[in-house]
Amino acid sequence: MTAEINRFLAKAQQLAEEAGQHQRAKLWTPLNIEHKGAMDLVTEVDRSSEELLVGGLQRAFPEHDFLAEENLYPDRGKSHKWIIDPLDGTTNFAHGFPWFAVSMALKIEGVVVLGVVHHPMMAEMFTAIKGEGAILNGSRISVSSRSPLRSSLLATGFPYDNATEPENNFAQFVKFQTRCRGIRRAGAAALDLAYVAAGRLDGFWECKLKPWDVAAGQLLVTEAGGKVTGYSGEPYSVYNHRIVASNGVIHNEMLAVLADRTPIEAL
Ligand code: IPD
Ligand code: CA
Ligand code: CA
């Protein structure tokens, strides 16, 4: 099993590197950009990166299934399924803000066993195999030991429909902002999670994320010694659209903030 997973990981890393090179070459060039929703963009590079990644994996592993952001692939009920965000941080990429990533995870029999988050602009490759720890460019990484929440640096994001839908993360943002050292909204959830894994951030929460945003990153965090749950502390699945990831030490404090039902007007 391990030799086989290492083979899957090597292929995923090679393809992530190729997609990253492609993205670096295309950043700051004129791009075809379309709207998927009022605020949700897709660029030609999201699509070409997905072709590169899914095409490469399909050729190498024709028996595997795929779930990726930009296309629908047949669900053939296979034991192995890749979950891929070809370009996490599309709004950043479309605006020339150089903060985006390639995110790839492999689920076997329903369990995420492998994750890759590649940050092309920083030449950083975060990887994890379930049960074997998390790695950044060949070296083991671990979450921070920082506490309490008051001394912690957090990250979050906002859903694309935040102007029209009530679940918009605004009240939670205000509550955390007054109870921690600072919050970053850098615009790529996969990198937020990779940064929690590397101890550069102490915690992350977000709602309405999709499996491809989090599948690789949540494995990085748990393999780096951190904790990932839903907002009520329940065990996390990549299909749960609310995620809390932390160094473990501040996790209960984060859950307490998320359980606070005070409306934003009363803060
Ligand atoms: C988005 C980013 C962002 C998060 C959004 C995601 P995309 O993914 O991860 O940080 O706040 O909710 O949808 O659209 O850039 O792949
Ligand atoms: Ca994404
Ligand atoms: Ca994306």
Side-chain angles (χ1 to χ4, degrees):
M1 185 72 151
T2 310
E4 198 187 31
I5 291 185
N6 280 326
R7 194 163 62 88
F8 299 149
L9 177 61
K11 189 69 193 175
Q13 274 186 250
Q14 177 218 321
L15 291 167
E17 191 76 54
E18 282 175 31
Q21 274 167 22
H22 171 60
Q23 292 168 6
R24 266 203 313 266
K26 287 287 188 175
L27 183 70
W28 302 315
T29 69
L31 296 173
N32 285 324
I33 302 175
E34 293 163 38
H35 278 262
K36 289 202 274 193
M39 302 304 285
D40 196 356
L41 304 176
V42 58
T43 76
E44 61 183 87
V45 182
D46 294 71
R47 296 194 202 283
S48 50
S49 297
E50 185 164 313
E51 274 162 37
L52 189 158
L53 297 169
V54 175
L57 289 170
Q58 278 173 331
R59 280 188 291 279
F61 313 119
E63 286 306 302
H64 294 185
D65 275 352
F66 294 87
L67 173 69
E69 182 169 12
E70 309 304 344
N71 290 288
L72 270 177
Y73 301 89
D75 184 348
R76 301 174 297 166
K78 301 292 186 185
S79 56
H80 292 48
K81 185 177 219 165
W82 291 89
I83 304 179
I84 296 177
D85 191 338
L87 203 170
D88 184 48
T90 295
T91 305
N92 288 345
F93 190 85
H95 285 255
F97 186 90
W99 196 261
F100 51 87
V102 176
S103 176
M104 308 168 81
L106 177 64
K107 219 166 56 147
I108 303 183
E109 308 287 5
V111 179
V112 178
V113 296
L114 170 170
V116 171
V117 174
H118 175 45
H119 191 181
M121 304 308 287
M122 297 284 276
E124 289 192 319
M125 183 73 73
F126 299 85
T127 65
I129 291 178
K130 191 170 175 56
E132 295 188 14
I135 305 284
L136 165 56
N137 289 355
S139 301
R140 274 296 273 267
I141 50 172
S142 63
V143 294
S144 74
S145 55
R146 192 169 289 107
S147 72
L149 182 61
R150 160 84 41 223
S151 308
S152 298
L153 186 62
L154 306 182
T156 191
F158 300 94
Y160 286 116
D161 60 8
N162 68 57
T164 51
E165 293 297 320
E167 186 169 7
N168 52 26
N169 200 24
F170 295 167
Q172 290 86 348
F173 182 84
V174 174
K175 288 171 198 164
F176 274 116
Q177 181 63 38
T178 54
R179 297 176 205 181
C180 73
R181 177 165 289 154
I183 306 176
R184 300 293 173 258
R185 196 291 189 242
L191 286 177
D192 292 333
L193 286 162
Y195 270 43
V196 173
R200 298 168 182 175
L201 291 167
D202 308 303
F204 166 75
W205 86 96
E206 194 164 336
C207 61
K208 297 190 181 168
L209 290 175
K210 298 289 196 322
W212 47 78
D213 298 314
V214 291
Q218 55 88 36
L219 183 66
L220 289 170
V221 173
T222 53
E223 287 301 319
K227 188 162 180 177
V228 182
T229 69
Y231 279 14
S232 306
E234 73 276 21
Y236 184 70
S237 137
V238 297
Y239 301 102
N240 181 342
H241 80 261
R242 299 188 187 109
I243 183 171
V244 193
S246 78
N247 61 8
V249 200
I250 61 165
H251 208 83
N252 285 343
E253 279 190 279
M254 290 188 72
L255 294 179
V257 173
L258 291 165
D260 180 345
R261 293 278 168 264
T262 316
I264 196 164
E265 307 76 36
L267 292 171

